[in-house]
Amino acid sequence: MTPTAATPLSNLMSSGTHLKLDAPSLFFLEEALAGLQAKQKTLPCKYFYNQYGSQLFDQICDLPGYYPTRTEAGIMADNISGMASVFGPDCLLIEYGSGSSTKTRILLDHLPHLAGYVPMDISREHLHQTAESLALAYPHLEILPLCADYTAPFELPQASRPALSRVVYFPGSTIGNFHRPEAAAFLCRIAEVCGPGGGLLIGVDLRKSAQILEPAYNDAQGVTAAFNLNLLHRMNLELSADFDVENFAHHAFYNEEVGRIEMHLRSLQAQTVYLGGQAIPFDQGETIWTECSYKYSLPEFAAVAASAGFEVRQVWTDREQKFSVQYLTVR
Ligand code: AVJ
């Protein structure tokens, strides 16, 4: 999730100035180059979510084989009163990666006494569209949208009503996108954001057979492939890279031993791509590792939570134990 910079920023500044890149794009360039200059090439999966990528992700959520979104929404709907009761009065709800805030509406419908709602996302347009439609649907709720990368430090906006506690909502099993040690470190930082008396409501995808997992990341319609390949389009558009997108293919598989889906972009031929004035050579068949999506057993996740200073208070699952929604409190 956090590749180390291989190219000094000062070097990039010159090519970046030449390309007239703004600060976020320079940072994108720096992270992309660091990833693409590593032995196993990688790109941070957070860059999937520009406006087009966020639209593609919404389409993924509606795919028949993509069970997580549907299963999580079902768990929320079936257990919403129990979930709402863990929230104290006047609590500030902070959502990490709010996207379209579809799942949040179920929560907001059952939490009339919130001090405020902070949807947080890196996709600015998506965030503001969502905030506007939520403001119409919940006129008495103070909505404080925050355009930020939640993997980096950020400052919480101040609600006009004082909050008695803070609860972070982190649905979608996005925690699965972190390697296990990084997941623990990230939960530690969430515990700091929550503070004493705070909690975390989190969606965690569970271990299951490859026969269910692999189709979820390899849809026949090619939406997941388009989502993955969008990273290359983005670098072409925003960083003036020259990826020939036709020369790369989506590749996703379940690594059962470590319990994760890996998504890659495979180079279909030997080729050289230019990015930020640097040549990036590819062998035929070489891949860019673009995402991992870890699946947890319940004890595995409890151990990660405990190492981050959280205690698992409640676990809700679907009947087939495909997915879980868990409430953790700061110990
Ligand atoms: C954003 C973590 C929910 O890992 O399942 C969907 C993203 N990637 N299809 C996941 C994703 C490919 C997704 N999450």
Side-chain angles (χ1 to χ4, degrees):
M1 210 73 189
T2 33
T4 43
T7 310
L9 189 58
S10 52
N11 289 7
L12 296 179
M13 289 298 278
S14 46
S15 52
T17 311
H18 172 67
L19 296 167
K20 292 203 175 57
L21 296 180
D22 58 8
S25 296
L26 257 181
F27 189 61
F28 180 18
L29 175 60
E30 189 189 15
E31 286 196 296
L33 272 178
L36 294 174
Q37 287 169 341
K39 187 157 182 291
Q40 165 65 68
K41 294 178 169 65
T42 62
L43 285 169
C45 62
K46 66 181 173 194
Y47 291 114
F48 284 136
Y49 303 95
N50 64 347
Q51 198 178 15
Y52 181 55
S54 300
Q55 281 168 10
L56 287 171
F57 181 65
D58 283 351
Q59 285 181 39
I60 288 176
C61 293
D62 288 333
L63 291 170
Y66 192 73
Y67 66 87
T69 314
R70 206 169 298 115
T71 311
E72 182 174 32
I75 297 169
M76 299 292 291
D78 290 347
N79 301 281
I80 192 64
S81 319
M83 285 180 194
S85 68
V86 303
F87 288 73
D90 293 321
C91 114
L92 183 71
L93 180 66
I94 305 149
E95 180 167 2
Y96 279 33
S98 47
S100 307
S101 297
T102 326
K103 286 163 247 171
T104 323
R105 286 169 181 260
I106 316 177
L107 262 182
L108 295 178
D109 289 340
H110 289 81
L111 294 170
H113 302 298
L114 284 180
Y117 169 57
V118 181
M120 202 194 320
D121 210 283
I122 41 171
S123 181
R124 187 176 295 272
E125 283 183 59
H126 213 64
L127 178 72
H128 289 292
Q129 281 164 12
T130 301
E132 269 169 42
S133 70
L134 284 177
L136 288 174
Y138 302 92
H140 301 294
L141 177 65
E142 187 177 5
I143 298 164
L144 303 137
L146 176 58
C147 186
D149 172 1
Y150 55 73
T151 64
F154 59 86
E155 200 155 327
L156 271 181
Q158 192 77 45
S160 30
R161 262 194 358 178
L164 292 180
S165 64
R166 292 197 281 254
V167 173
V168 169
Y169 181 43
F170 191 33
S173 200
T174 305
I175 192 68
N177 291 152
F178 295 83
H179 292 296
R180 291 188 207 279
E182 292 172 6
F186 182 61
L187 291 180
C188 263
R189 292 207 298 279
I190 296 183
E192 277 167 32
V193 172
C194 297
L200 167 62
L201 187 66
I202 184 169
V204 182
D205 199 10
L206 301 178
R207 282 188 182 251
K208 64 184 69 62
S209 76
Q211 281 96 307
I212 298 174
L213 280 168
E214 286 187 340
Y217 293 83
N218 287 289
D219 63 283
Q221 295 90 322
V223 183
T224 310
F227 177 69
N228 198 2
L229 289 161
N230 181 46
L231 276 177
L232 305 184
H233 284 298
R234 250 197 106 165
M235 288 188 286
N236 286 350
L237 282 170
E238 296 174 30
L239 308 177
S240 302
D242 69 346
F243 283 94
D244 188 344
V245 178
E246 307 269 278
N247 287 343
F248 288 85
H250 168 72
H251 178 52
F253 61 93
Y254 187 48
N255 183 336
E256 178 123 40
E257 215 167 306
V258 279
R260 71 174 176 229
I261 289 278
E262 289 184 20
M263 282 211 321
H264 295 254
L265 288 166
R266 170 180 281 157
S267 176
L268 296 174
Q269 59 188 58
Q271 55 186 320
T272 299
V273 173
Y274 288 87
L275 172 64
Q278 313 274 325
I280 316 281
F282 285 88
D283 294 332
Q284 180 175 4
E286 188 180 352
T287 72
I288 309 171
W289 188 2
T290 53
E291 188 185 55
C292 44
S293 187
Y294 283 84
K295 312 303 171 186
Y296 286 88
S297 71
L298 293 177
E300 262 172 347
F301 190 74
V304 171
S307 73
F310 275 113
E311 190 178 348
V312 178
R313 299 304 282 270
Q314 226 165 329
V315 177
W316 298 273
T317 65
D318 56 301
R319 209 183 297 118
E320 293 158 282
Q321 297 237 353
K322 279 194 186 131
F323 199 94
S324 67
V325 178
Q326 310 197 16
Y327 188 64
L328 323 184
T329 51
V330 179
R331 255 182 305 146

